[in-house]
Amino acid sequence: HVPPTEPVTTWKTDFGQPWWKDDRFVIGRLSKKTRKIRVVNTLTTQDDLLQVCSEETLLEIQDRYTDYNKHAGSYTWKALDEGEFRPLDMSLTLSENGVEDLTEEFAALSIDPD
């Protein structure tokens, strides 16, 4: 549906649903917020920085992390909380697990979140 090169009143624009509203072309959802996390393997000291969606569960993050470490599924995922490691519920998001997003605080203090 290419419009005419000049304005005309006879060109009809009622050709149905536009492509951007067609569910066949949806490839994902837009995240409300993303954040960066550092995943550290305490056995090997390997660490990787990932950008994750706030809606992703830890299982989804773990699945993507297997690109970096094929054994990620066999580890117990924990968060460092006030100097202590605590296990995370893999079916929950980071926020639901009580892992704070400090991105805005870092930005306010001019600290690179990486």
Side-chain angles (χ1 to χ4, degrees):
H1 300 281
V2 179
T5 56
E6 297 177 9
V8 295
T9 58
T10 57
W11 188 63
K12 297 193 181 294
T13 59
D14 58 351
F15 43 81
Q17 183 181 42
W19 67 266
W20 61 88
K21 291 186 177 182
D22 190 337
D23 288 339
R24 294 178 300 157
F25 299 113
V26 174
I27 58 170
R29 295 178 294 155
L30 184 62
S31 178
K32 291 182 182 176
K33 182 162 183 1
T34 62
R35 65 195 275 189
K36 292 182 179 177
I37 63 168
R38 185 171 306 280
V39 180
V40 179
N41 181 333
T42 57
L43 295 173
T44 65
T45 67
Q46 173 188 346
D47 69 290
D48 297 290
L49 188 65
L50 300 175
Q51 184 167 357
V52 299
C53 299
S54 60
E55 300 86 2
E56 277 186 295
T57 66
L58 285 164
L59 282 172
E60 293 168 321
I61 294 170
Q62 181 185 53
D63 183 53
R64 287 196 302 122
Y65 182 65
T66 57
D67 290 344
Y68 299 91
N69 184 330
K70 299 292 183 204
H71 304 286
S74 65
Y75 300 139
T76 300
W77 284 52
K78 298 180 180 184
L80 185 60
D81 190 8
E82 296 184 21
E84 297 289 324
F85 284 107
R86 63 176 173 81
L88 299 171
D89 183 335
M90 300 301 284
S91 66
L92 301 177
T93 65
L94 289 165
S95 295
E96 292 167 341
N97 269 296
V99 179
E100 289 184 71
D101 181 3
L102 301 175
T103 306
E104 290 179 19
E105 187 175 332
F106 286 171
L109 297 170
S110 299
I111 298 173
D112 186 3
D114 292 346

